[in-house]
Amino acid sequence: MTLKITVAAPFKHTRKTGMRKNELVYYYALDRKWMSTDQAAVLLRRAEEAGLIRQENGVFTILFDSSTITIPIGFRPTSAIFEANDPAQELIGRIMKTRGLPETDVVAEMNKIIREQFDGNLLPPAALVLLAKKYRVPYEDLRDALLAAVKKA
């Protein structure tokens, strides 16, 4: 939720629906002093991967209703917004972005593969790799982390 609040903040405070990267970096790093300019760039990449914002022609737009977000007085994001997601969640985000589907549809398709093609004998990270291959979504950089998740289960 902190990531969502952090992403919504500049759009709510400026009452804009679209902002350029330099405006967002200025807001996070110089105006609010929440993070460095490099961290702001990482934040924008993570938010895009999570399906919270989209970039078109150099303009970022928010993909959820920012009016539903309440920014607490004195809000300051924690370092948790920079921590890597669980690899399965990150792969879900990539598939969502590539296919233009909501998270629920990707997870439903993953569950369908597990249930119908493997009689429930496949772990979710493996099913996500099959989906990634099906849709030609790059997953090679997550392979080791996904394999570790399968070995834990």
Side-chain angles (χ1 to χ4, degrees), residues 91 95 109-110 113-114 117-118 122-137 139 146:
L91 189 52
I95 294 168
E109 191 171 355
M110 175 193 73
I113 288 172
I114 293 169
Q117 295 178 13
F118 293 92
L122 186 69
L123 293 172
L128 287 170
V129 168
L130 292 175
L131 273 179
K133 283 183 174 187
K134 177 180 177 182
Y135 296 126
R136 294 187 170 93
V137 175
Y139 68 92
L146 289 165

Side-chain angles (χ1 to χ4, degrees), residues 4 10-11 14 16 37 39 44 47 49-50 61 63-64 72 97 113 116 118 123 139-140 144 152-153:
K4 201 169 189 177
F11 294 95
T14 61
K16 290 183 177 180
T37 55
Q39 288 174 321
L44 294 175
E49 288 172 356
T61 53
L63 297 177
F64 58 93
K97 184 179 175 186
I113 288 172
E116 293 180 8
F118 293 92
L123 293 172
Y139 68 92
E140 290 78 15
D144 292 338
K152 281 183 190 175

